[in-house]
Amino acid sequence: MTVFSQTREEILESLKRSTFSNNNIYLFCRGTKSKSGLIASRFNLKDTNITHVGVGYAEHNSFRIFNVTDLKGYDNALLIDSVNSFIAASDVYYFSIWACKTTGRNMQGLKRILKSYPGRKIVFDISFRLNNDDTLYCSEFCAAVLNSIGLKKYHFGPVKKKLNDRLYATILKREELVYYPVDFFRATNYFRLAREFKIGK
């Protein structure tokens, strides 16, 4: 399917005219042209467009996007975005929405888990290590939220990658990286592509 370039205003207008289910879990992905974004895409499973991911839900046909970011100037690495703020940065060139149908009970569980995070001090994990409490990176956070629902359908495990590139091995101080790729959810077919956009001027 060909995806034509649209402005942010056109994307927002298109989403206003769309209907989104309150009984879907949504993942929100963007791609940036930043150096860190280009590095992140090299470690993905399949999708080289995706460099950042958030998780959330639809409410009154607008989205609440919970995501962990390394933006400077924030006391907490956890942000709760609208689509507008999620794609606002000038270097964002790609945006997609992925949906997984679920039950009302699971949605209640998801919202309860997500709403527990703003009260916590989330630190962005620049070392990309697992199991260090509230020190998280974007895909690790999303996987933790989905895994907390407690259903096998939403359980995602990390992957292992040998760091054959000496630069990455030196920076990360290890020979093997155990991590959640930004497109970790592509390991299953539960999340389906709902909308996809290329962002132009």
Side-chain angles (χ1 to χ4, degrees):
M1 178 179 78
T2 303
V3 182
F4 296 100
S5 183
Q6 294 178 272
T7 66
R8 287 168 179 76
E9 292 73 21
E10 288 171 334
I11 291 169
L12 295 173
E13 191 57 40
S14 173
L15 293 175
K16 278 182 189 175
R17 296 193 303 267
S18 303
T19 302
F20 296 96
S21 173
N22 291 345
N23 284 324
N24 282 345
I25 297 173
Y26 290 99
L27 291 172
F28 305 88
C29 303
R30 71 183 181 220
T32 66
K33 296 176 182 176
S34 67
K35 186 177 179 181
S36 60
L38 294 172
I39 292 170
S41 68
R42 291 188 58 183
F43 287 85
N44 283 357
L45 297 174
K46 300 178 180 181
D47 198 323
T48 56
N49 282 316
I50 299 173
T51 64
H52 183 69
V53 61
V55 61
Y57 52 88
E59 202 167 62
H60 310 300
N61 216 42
S62 63
F63 292 116
R64 287 174 63 79
I65 306 171
F66 293 72
N67 61 114
V68 169
T69 182
D70 62 345
L71 287 177
K72 302 293 184 281
Y74 288 86
D75 292 333
N76 198 321
L78 177 70
L79 298 180
I80 304 172
D81 280 313
S82 64
V83 170
N84 189 21
S85 58
F86 190 75
I87 63 172
S90 60
D91 65 344
V92 177
Y93 71 90
Y94 175 82
F95 175 58
S96 60
I97 302 172
W98 299 74
C100 179
K101 197 169 192 176
T102 191
T103 65
R105 183 181 215 178
N106 290 336
M107 282 306 304
Q108 289 174 1
L110 174 77
K111 290 179 180 179
R112 186 172 60 252
I113 292 161
L114 286 173
K115 289 174 180 177
S116 74
Y117 274 90
R120 294 155 65 172
K121 173 73 172 176
I122 307 299
V123 176
F124 187 81
D125 188 358
I126 58 173
S127 67
F128 296 93
R129 294 191 183 276
L130 302 180
N131 304 317
N132 47 0
D133 299 322
D134 284 345
T135 302
L136 303 164
Y137 53 91
C138 69
S139 47
E140 182 186 11
F141 166 72
C142 292
V145 167
L146 294 174
N147 289 346
S148 294
I149 295 174
L151 295 178
K152 186 177 180 181
K153 179 177 181 178
Y154 307 117
H155 184 78
F156 295 91
V159 300
K160 294 181 182 179
K161 185 179 179 73
K162 291 284 185 188
L163 296 175
N164 297 320
D165 187 308
R166 292 310 307 164
L167 176 62
Y168 295 141
T170 301
I171 291 171
L172 295 170
K173 299 178 179 165
R174 71 202 90 153
E175 299 296 321
E176 182 180 70
L177 183 62
V178 181
Y179 71 109
Y180 289 95
V182 181
D183 66 342
F184 71 95
F185 58 94
R186 299 293 304 276
T188 72
N189 293 320
Y190 290 123
F191 281 88
R192 301 285 183 177
L193 183 63
R195 298 297 300 273
E196 184 177 34
F197 304 95
K198 285 184 179 176
I199 302 174
K201 298 283 186 186

